[in-house]
Amino acid sequence: MIEVVEPATEQVMAEVPRAGVEETDAAVAAAKAAFGEWRAVAPGDRATLLRRLADAIEARAEELTRLEARNAGKPISDSRAEIAMVIESFRYYAGAPERLTGKTIPVAGGVDMTFHEPLGVVGLITPWNFPLVIASWKVAPALAAGNTIVLKPAELTPLTALELERIAPQAGIPEGVVNVVAGPGSVCGQRLVEHPDVAKIAFTGSTEVGRGIAAGAAQTIKRVTLELGGKSANVIFADADLEAAAAAAPLAVFGNAGQDCCARSRILVERSGMDEFMAALERAVTEMRVGDPLSEETEMGPLISAGQRETVASYVPDEAPVAFRGSAPDGPGFWYPPTVLAPVSNSDRAAAEEIFGPVACVIPFEDEAEGVRLANDTIYGLSGSIWTRDGARALRVAREIETGVLSINSNSSVRVATPFGGFKQSGVGRELGPDALDHYTNVKNVFYATEES
Ligand code: NAD
């Protein structure tokens, strides 16, 4: 059995059967058996079923919100927004089956046309930080395109994925289309990667595990989408609205207790604006409400596990340049206070590695060229922000920063309707928006002769 722990209390909140290779093979077999029926469902009917699935999730939204908040230790208001995004993802991709149009291409001697065919069985492997919402970014486009799925959630947070597996047939999705295996990544995840009947792996998780998945998938030439780690820069120029940038910065790095691949954990500040920015940032950080995830007021909860807290703490040794910290409750729970290190050099360990916890590094820069150079001086390239009142500079810098998802005078860059994914070692492929569908289909080209050759 998997003992599922509530991070805010350290108590076991549920026990679920631990799947292994046998259960993974059975799930792949069920998905394979269901593929013919699912891909044959008329596009309009598949759209209706996806909308029904969205409705069925919506009917249980508050229950799922609470379950996710307890299991992942995330503030209930964040959890509510995530479940709303799950519903939105299914509604958005319900529009896809009838819009998966191909092309006709002018050629001699006949008609040439393309089709976007489903891949077959796709394996979806997800992390613990945004459990159901990241699953929905994969499940919704995969199903819309006519694939069947085996979803492997993280062992620490399998509960909402298991609920999705129950809800899908209740909404009318045929049996075998949606399968969930809750078990270790090194067993169930690896089996999906190796399985000859799995056509594609869509993975979200660490860059380290992603490297192994890419290598493993190569053996059967599986398609792979990788959404990996990040060390994103929040680049703040002295001419920006520094109060606004400082007020927004804490949630951009301490949201989800910093366990966010998009965390803007390197705060790059133009030196001439440093004093004003730091004063405003200190106020914002010390005012953050850290505590019980189930309280509507809470902005930051605990870390996911004792192990994660130990890893995070290793980035803040006694001699670390702690500028200021927020609060954290005493007692049970994997708590760690929001912590700002300043000034930090971009090559310091805390600035170079993904901490995946509530630790921000403030790094000064002298001018635009140095700001861009430091922002790009990382193996990662997932997200980031630019704060300035100079519109031309904002767009110039946006084009120069090597990341997949950027925001200007805002830290918000993830939306159902817009593409999401990384440059460099932050990943391969795109989720969300119209682009995701390309990663769940194969293009087929058909030539129909209209003249004798
Ligand atoms: P992880 O890489 O340890 O695990 C992710 C998933 O992979 C889990 O389901 C795990 O069981 C599975 N897994 C582990 N070993 C495996 C193997 N050998 N074969 C197949 N599957 C395996 O990541 P995590 O600790 O759950 O999540 C944190 C990481 O995820 C961070 O690096 C974070 O940046 C990243 N992340 C990325 C995004 C994104 O969209 N780019 C989003 C959220 C999290």
Side-chain angles (χ1 to χ4, degrees), residues 125-130 134 137-138 152-156 183-191 193 203-210 212-213 226-230 259-262 308 354 356 380 382 420-422 426 431:
I125 303 177
T126 52
W128 44 259
N129 57 340
F130 298 108
I134 285 183
W137 298 357
K138 303 179 190 313
K152 197 213 81 65
E155 242 184 310
L156 292 169
S186 55
V187 179
C188 305
Q190 192 161 329
R191 181 63 186 151
V193 172
F203 170 79
T204 299
S206 59
T207 295
E208 193 186 343
V209 173
I213 287 184
L226 301 172
E227 296 288 354
L228 309 175
Q259 303 163 124
D260 181 346
C261 52
C262 289
Q308 188 69 11
E354 182 182 47
F356 227 53
Y380 296 111
L382 186 56
F420 175 77
S426 286
E431 299 202 300

Side-chain angles (χ1 to χ4, degrees), residues 98-428:
E98 293 167 294
R99 291 173 176 79
L100 271 178
T101 51
K103 297 186 178 98
T104 54
I105 301 173
V107 292
V111 176
D112 194 281
M113 61 202 120
T114 65
F115 296 88
H116 292 271
E117 305 287 15
L119 302 173
V121 178
V122 296
L124 313 176
I125 303 177
T126 52
W128 44 259
N129 57 340
F130 298 108
L132 193 60
V133 73
I134 285 183
S136 74
W137 298 357
K138 303 179 190 313
V139 176
L143 295 184
N147 303 283
T148 55
I149 63 139
V150 179
L151 166 64
K152 197 213 81 65
E155 242 184 310
L156 292 169
T157 54
L159 299 179
T160 46
L162 289 165
E163 286 305 314
L164 178 70
E165 189 187 32
R166 286 182 203 111
I167 293 170
Q170 292 164 6
I173 307 279
E175 291 288 343
V177 172
V178 174
N179 308 275
V180 176
V181 286
S186 55
V187 179
C188 305
Q190 192 161 329
R191 181 63 186 151
L192 286 175
V193 172
E194 290 166 356
H195 203 299
D197 290 337
V198 174
K200 179 218 165 92
I201 295 289
F203 170 79
T204 299
S206 59
T207 295
E208 193 186 343
V209 173
R211 284 188 194 108
I213 287 184
Q219 299 310 308
T220 46
I221 315 292
K222 281 187 179 51
R223 280 97 189 106
V224 179
T225 307
L226 301 172
E227 296 288 354
L228 309 175
K231 191 74 190 178
S232 297
N234 188 357
V235 185
I236 298 163
F237 288 95
D239 72 347
D241 180 341
L242 293 175
E243 275 291 333
L251 276 181
V253 48
F254 303 139
N256 215 43
Q259 303 163 124
D260 181 346
C261 52
C262 289
R264 276 87 164 147
S265 53
R266 290 185 300 142
I267 306 178
L268 272 49
V269 187
E270 192 170 15
R271 200 179 289 279
S272 55
M274 186 65 117
D275 290 349
E276 186 184 342
F277 176 80
M278 287 302 275
L281 182 65
E282 180 166 9
R283 282 195 299 280
V285 169
T286 48
E287 279 168 10
M288 272 195 86
R289 295 182 295 266
V290 182
D292 179 7
L294 298 181
S295 160
E296 295 288 346
E297 307 301 312
T298 295
E299 293 174 299
M300 187 182 119
L303 294 168
I304 190 72
S305 65
Q308 188 69 11
R309 181 168 59 185
E310 219 172 282
T311 307
V312 171
S314 78
Y315 287 92
V316 191
D318 291 343
E319 65 279 12
V322 175
F324 40 83
R325 295 186 116 148
S327 63
D330 297 324
F334 308 121
W335 304 101
Y336 196 85
T339 300
V340 175
L341 306 180
V344 175
S345 157
N346 198 54
S347 55
D348 290 351
R349 179 172 168 250
E353 296 178 13
E354 182 182 47
I355 299 177
F356 227 53
V359 178
C361 295
V362 177
I363 303 165
F365 66 90
E366 299 302 334
D367 55 20
E368 184 180 316
E370 191 186 18
V372 169
R373 184 181 64 72
L374 291 173
N376 287 338
D377 185 15
T378 166
I379 62 164
Y380 296 111
L382 186 56
S383 189
S385 300
I386 300 158
W387 293 77
T388 176
R389 286 192 170 100
D390 179 340
R393 169 152 69 192
L395 290 176
R396 199 164 54 233
V397 172
R399 295 298 305 273
E400 285 172 353
I401 291 187
E402 297 157 352
T403 91
V405 193
L406 270 172
S407 47
I408 297 168
N409 295 334
S410 156
N411 296 321
S412 143
S413 50
V414 182
R415 292 176 180 79
V416 170
T418 58
F420 175 77
F423 279 27
K424 302 197 283 191
Q425 295 190 35
S426 286
V428 176

